Amino acid sequence: MSAKNISVVMATFNGSKYITKQLDSILQQTLVPDELIICDDNSTDDTVLLINSYENNSRIKLFVNEKRMGVVENFKKATTLATPSNWIAFADQDDIWEQKKLRRLADEMILIDDDIPALIYSDLTVIDKNDLVTAPSFWEKQKIRPEKIRLSTLLFGNVITGCTTLINYPMAREFFLFNGLDYFHDEWLGLIAYTFGKVKMLNDKLVYYRQHESNVTFSEEYKIPLFTEGLKNDIDYLLKKKRFLSHQFELAKSFLSTYRDKLTSEQIKIFENFIKQENKNYILQRLNRRITYN
């Protein structure tokens, strides 16, 4: 398999504060993308103006939505506008890419690309609003153990960060069918990769992942609560004021309903065993999660 052209797809909304650094890091890759598709979700700041300042770069193709679509549907729109058959890399508006990012991902995709959905993803370096490193490894910060990741652990919580991924076109076709109203695209595509697709995880830190007060795509599940917040959550779960892992259970049920015919009997069993835990008490759910990881 030879390398294919890469389309970088970006969803923007009021990202003027950081967009220039991100655009420069993408355009200065050692493996320059064939195109950079940007769908702006009707920004009210200078985001579009700043993107248009790159008008002499023919790789950039900007589309501005008349009405807001939301981040996942905006990413999906950008992906549908990419050149068919290209590999697709997702880009957030406020990160900075390592210069070798696309080359490293492409070298790995060559090894697994086929006529079935494939996905490569990596670790990240966490930075703040001033570009200062706050965590050399996002996975270490979140206590993610890469060697433990498999379908059964992925059901307890997504570890695939969309801005690190490269997908092939069969995976993009699955994204076109995805209803992004309830779930994030990276967690859905990750489940595809770990069931009837192909997946490769890289320990490389290929993105400077910016965490700040107005992240667009930063999921709540990635935020580590303070001790007092964690204690309050435990009490709420025990008193059944809140449902533990409610998002994960709904995601698992939706995915199983959509793709049951493509899953092996063993994979279906993994999903069904996970879903059965929904009605167990909080202590047992926590215990089952720990047992699954260990």
Side-chain angles (χ1 to χ4, degrees):
M1 166 67 68
S2 59
K4 295 182 179 179
N5 289 331
I6 295 176
S7 298
V8 175
V9 297
M10 180 187 293
T12 60
F13 176 71
N14 288 353
S16 61
K17 189 172 183 179
Y18 304 109
I19 189 71
T20 299
K21 288 183 178 179
Q22 174 66 311
L23 291 176
D24 289 345
S25 74
I26 294 172
L27 297 172
Q28 293 169 8
Q29 290 287 297
T30 55
L31 177 59
V32 182
D34 181 55
E35 58 187 3
L36 171 52
I37 308 291
I38 304 174
C39 284
D40 183 81
D41 212 12
N42 201 10
S43 290
T44 57
D45 66 358
D46 291 335
T47 300
V48 172
L49 181 66
L50 290 171
I51 297 171
N52 281 330
S53 70
Y54 291 77
E55 61 184 355
N56 292 329
N57 192 311
S58 61
R59 297 180 189 275
I60 296 180
K61 301 172 184 178
L62 172 64
F63 303 86
V64 180
N65 301 333
E66 293 183 1
K67 296 181 180 180
R68 289 210 60 198
M69 301 178 66
V71 61
V72 176
E73 287 300 310
N74 202 23
F75 264 121
K76 185 162 72 173
K77 175 183 174 181
T79 304
T80 63
L81 294 169
T83 300
S85 81
N86 277 12
W87 291 337
I88 305 289
F90 296 100
D92 289 346
Q93 64 183 3
D94 43 14
D95 299 329
I96 300 173
W97 284 8
E98 283 278 3
Q99 197 170 17
K100 64 181 181 180
K101 177 181 187 284
L102 290 181
R103 171 61 68 186
R104 183 75 179 89
L105 294 174
D107 286 346
E108 294 295 333
M109 184 60 83
I110 290 174
L111 303 178
I112 69 169
D113 189 17
D114 204 340
D115 57 356
I116 64 174
L119 180 149
I120 313 284
Y121 69 105
S122 75
D123 194 1
L124 319 89
T125 298
V126 183
I127 60 175
D128 64 14
K129 62 182 180 180
N130 298 312
D131 298 351
L132 298 177
V133 174
T134 60
S137 167
F138 178 71
W139 289 352
E140 289 182 8
K141 177 182 179 181
Q142 298 298 131
K143 297 181 173 58
I144 296 170
R145 299 170 62 184
E147 72 278 5
K148 298 289 186 180
I149 302 305
R150 55 194 186 279
L151 176 59
S152 56
T153 58
L154 202 62
L155 290 173
F156 280 96
N158 179 47
V159 300
I160 298 171
T161 312
C163 63
T164 71
T165 60
L166 182 69
I167 64 174
N168 64 356
Y169 200 69
M171 183 69 84
R173 286 198 297 265
E174 296 298 330
F175 187 25
F176 300 156
L177 303 174
F178 172 59
N179 179 355
L181 298 178
D182 299 314
Y183 312 109
F184 290 104
H185 56 291
D186 47 14
E187 62 186 354
W188 190 267
L189 300 183
L191 288 175
I192 292 173
Y194 275 90
T195 51
F196 60 91
K198 292 183 178 180
V199 63
K200 179 68 180 291
M201 174 197 304
L202 305 179
N203 285 311
D204 308 53
K205 290 81 175 170
L206 298 177
V207 174
Y208 289 99
Y209 189 43
R210 194 184 303 278
Q211 294 184 5
H212 56 91
E213 66 282 357
S214 56
N215 278 95
V216 174
T217 61
F218 188 61
S219 172
E220 287 294 329
E221 69 184 274
Y222 290 150
K223 298 181 181 178
I224 300 176
L226 299 174
F227 173 78
T228 53
E229 293 173 338
L231 183 60
K232 182 181 183 303
N233 284 337
D234 286 341
I235 294 172
D236 287 343
Y237 290 136
L238 285 169
L239 297 178
K240 297 184 178 181
K241 292 181 179 180
K242 293 172 63 176
R243 293 174 58 214
F244 186 55
L245 299 175
S246 58
H247 177 82
Q248 282 74 30
F249 288 127
E250 294 304 317
L251 172 66
K253 286 185 283 188
S254 179
F255 189 89
L256 180 59
S257 174
T258 302
Y259 287 117
R260 178 182 286 270
D261 290 345
K262 291 191 175 183
L263 305 182
T264 66
S265 58
E266 180 62 29
Q267 289 169 346
I268 292 173
K269 183 178 179 181
I270 290 172
F271 273 92
E272 290 178 340
N273 286 340
F274 175 74
I275 294 168
K276 286 179 182 177
Q277 299 180 51
E278 184 175 16
N279 296 321
K280 294 183 179 179
N281 67 54
Y282 171 60
I283 300 299
L284 283 176
Q285 289 174 338
R286 287 285 298 266
L287 180 62
N288 285 332
R289 183 172 68 172
R290 182 171 293 256
I291 290 172
T292 300
Y293 273 96
N294 292 329

